[in-house]
Amino acid sequence: MFESKNTQRTPISDLGEFGLINHLTTATKIKHDKTALGIGDDAALIDMGDHYQAISTDMLVEGVHFDLSYMPLKHLGYKSVVVNLSDIYAMNGVAEHITVSLAVSNRFPVEALEDIYEGIHLACERYNVDLVGGDTTSSRSGLVLSITAVGRVEKDKAAKRAGAGDNDLIVVSGDLGGAYMGLQILEREKQVYLDNPEMQPELSGHEYILERQLKPEARKDIVELLQALEVVPTSMIDISDGLSSELLHVADASKVQVNVYENKIPIDPSIYTICEEFNLNTTTVALNGGEDYELLFTIPIADHDKIKANPNLTVIGYVKEGTGANLITRDEKVIALKAQGFNHME
Ligand code: ADP
Ligand code: MG
């Protein structure tokens, strides 16, 4: 019936996720002066006069972003809110409102949806946001959750992906790689269970990384900390797809080169043992494992003293003129980073 006038059939994988977004939105036109920042950052910014309103949306699809065989529904509700709020904090803003849209198949009883909402409400309490609307519809296959978050950003504090300057320091909150290793444990235990349903999953001892995967937190506290320390990042992004991918976004948007030291990347001690078990390199996991939801930002070198004593923040490198992202390895080799983040389109 509705045939596309395009007769070519280019596979989406030819473009990748970011290439596809670019391709589809090159014809997008901004008509309103109030649209201060459109596509291409963690959130859009709308000029409200004395402040910006930040808007961001994210979709979670069963079988792509979550697996209900190990993701409890309450956690799913919680996590789907948190990942959206993270994009508002990545603008150095305060999240205030969300809408929640659900596509659900009749395989889910009402009680299952109640569990999801218990998690959603818990996140709304913890992060002080109001759920103000959404949409509910049926799905032929699986569960889809789409959340939009709206927040407030002070005009002189807005932190975009663009803005990193020569000599700025690169800072990351928390530690990296945990969410990915949590996923590896869950996938392994799922396989063990599928091979022998009598086996109980071996999850004890892995609490930290399992929590990083199943019940992540967004770094509202870091936005508050930066405010208290009187530090305004020159650029900021949240780490959803992996450090490499986000460093490249900052480098591209800011038209600079970013350089990070392998030995400075913060990694929780428990990750080393578990990486050994899986025969994975911790640096690779920290660079390319997704879903840590930490904040990556740049600050003027003059602000170093304000942040250097803080255990939540680690300086991992520096910005200089140029392009791309480099890793300076433990033996001082310089390796160009490529984005190998979670590419759900592949
Ligand atoms: P994030 O990882 O921070 O959620 P994404 O990588 O999903 O950001 O998206 C990058 C940018 O592209 C964002 O500004 C987002 O709003 C925009 N974007 C993503 N998909 C679409 C789409 N289908 N149409 C228009 N804009 C999109
Ligand atoms: Mg983001």
Side-chain angles (χ1 to χ4, degrees):
M1 254 197 318
F2 300 106
E3 270 186 21
S4 167
K5 64 181 186 312
N6 290 342
T7 49
Q8 271 181 304
R9 295 185 53 83
T10 310
I12 290 173
S13 56
D14 278 11
L15 300 177
E17 181 180 344
F18 301 128
L20 179 66
I21 297 171
N22 281 340
H23 181 75
L24 295 177
T25 58
T26 40
T28 301
K29 289 196 182 70
I30 298 296
K31 292 172 291 301
H32 296 279
D33 291 343
K34 288 203 298 186
T35 308
L37 183 66
I39 293 165
D41 217 298
D42 295 291
L45 295 177
I46 314 301
D47 192 336
M48 306 301 280
D50 64 337
H51 70 279
Y52 291 127
Q53 183 174 61
I55 309 175
S56 181
T57 193
D58 257 311
M59 185 153 53
L60 282 93
V61 177
E62 184 179 358
V64 179
H65 301 94
F66 60 88
D67 182 334
L68 289 176
S69 56
Y70 48 71
M71 185 70 168
L73 289 164
K74 183 177 168 183
H75 287 66
L76 176 64
Y78 190 87
K79 179 171 175 175
S80 53
V81 175
V82 163
V83 305
N84 276 274
L85 302 184
S86 178
D87 279 321
I88 303 294
Y89 302 133
M91 305 308 292
N92 207 21
V94 179
E96 294 178 332
H97 300 97
I98 57 163
T99 61
V100 174
S101 298
L102 276 179
V104 57
S105 68
N106 55 14
R107 142 171 96 89
F108 293 92
V110 173
E111 289 74 14
L113 304 181
E114 285 173 1
D115 286 349
I116 295 176
Y117 268 76
E118 211 184 312
I120 289 174
H121 288 140
L122 183 63
C124 286
E125 282 308 307
R126 293 251 175 101
Y127 289 90
N128 195 31
V129 300
D130 290 341
L131 168 60
V132 293
D135 194 22
T136 309
T137 181
S138 56
S139 150
R140 294 276 172 95
S141 62
L143 176 66
V144 179
L145 266 156
S146 172
I147 297 192
T148 298
V150 180
R152 181 190 173 95
V153 183
E154 298 313 321
K155 280 190 163 170
D156 55 349
K157 307 240 160 63
K160 305 172 188 173
R161 294 179 180 183
D166 198 14
N167 286 326
D168 281 359
L169 297 176
I170 302 169
V171 187
V172 69
S173 67
D175 53 67
L176 301 176
Y180 181 77
M181 291 319 293
L183 183 65
Q184 300 313 302
I185 294 280
L186 290 163
E187 290 282 349
R188 179 177 76 185
E189 295 310 313
K190 179 186 174 184
Q191 207 47 54
V192 169
Y193 174 81
L194 290 176
D195 294 345
N196 180 0
E198 265 146 48
M199 293 282 283
Q200 285 301 307
E202 277 286 338
L203 299 176
S204 68
H206 301 306
E207 286 75 10
Y208 179 67
I209 55 175
L210 291 172
E211 194 160 317
R212 296 288 283 166
Q213 171 57 224
L214 296 176
K215 193 170 170 292
E217 301 293 350
R219 299 312 302 259
K220 177 175 188 263
D221 60 324
I222 299 295
V223 172
E224 291 162 355
L225 176 70
L226 292 173
Q227 168 102 13
L229 295 173
E230 295 181 3
V231 172
V232 179
T234 50
S235 72
M236 185 146 69
I237 186 168
D238 71 329
I239 305 182
S240 49
D241 294 336
L243 181 63
S244 280
S245 168
E246 318 304 359
L247 285 168
L248 285 163
H249 282 316
V250 170
D252 279 355
S254 300
K255 299 190 169 56
V256 291
Q257 183 183 82
V258 297
N259 295 274
V260 297
Y261 295 97
E262 180 180 19
N263 64 358
K264 302 269 196 232
I265 298 173
I267 296 172
D268 187 77
S270 65
I271 311 278
Y272 288 94
T273 4
I274 195 72
C275 277
E276 222 165 275
E277 217 176 289
F278 279 84
N279 208 7
L280 289 169
N281 178 286
T282 44
T283 304
T284 312
V285 166
L287 286 171
N288 301 320
E291 299 196 290
D292 287 313
Y293 299 104
E294 295 295 342
L295 293 175
L296 172 71
F297 57 94
T298 52
I299 59 168
I301 202 159
D303 281 342
H304 186 215
D305 282 349
K306 298 186 194 166
I307 64 125
K308 72 177 181 200
N310 198 289
N312 289 297
L313 302 176
T314 312
V315 177
I316 58 168
Y318 63 92
V319 177
K320 67 176 205 182
E321 283 178 10
T323 55
N326 292 320
L327 180 75
I328 302 157
T329 64
R330 289 195 176 84
D331 49 3
E332 291 179 11
K333 288 204 182 73
V334 179
I335 298 176
L337 291 176
K338 291 197 204 78
Q340 293 172 336
F342 278 155
N343 195 335
H344 292 301
M345 307 294 298
E346 280 173 358

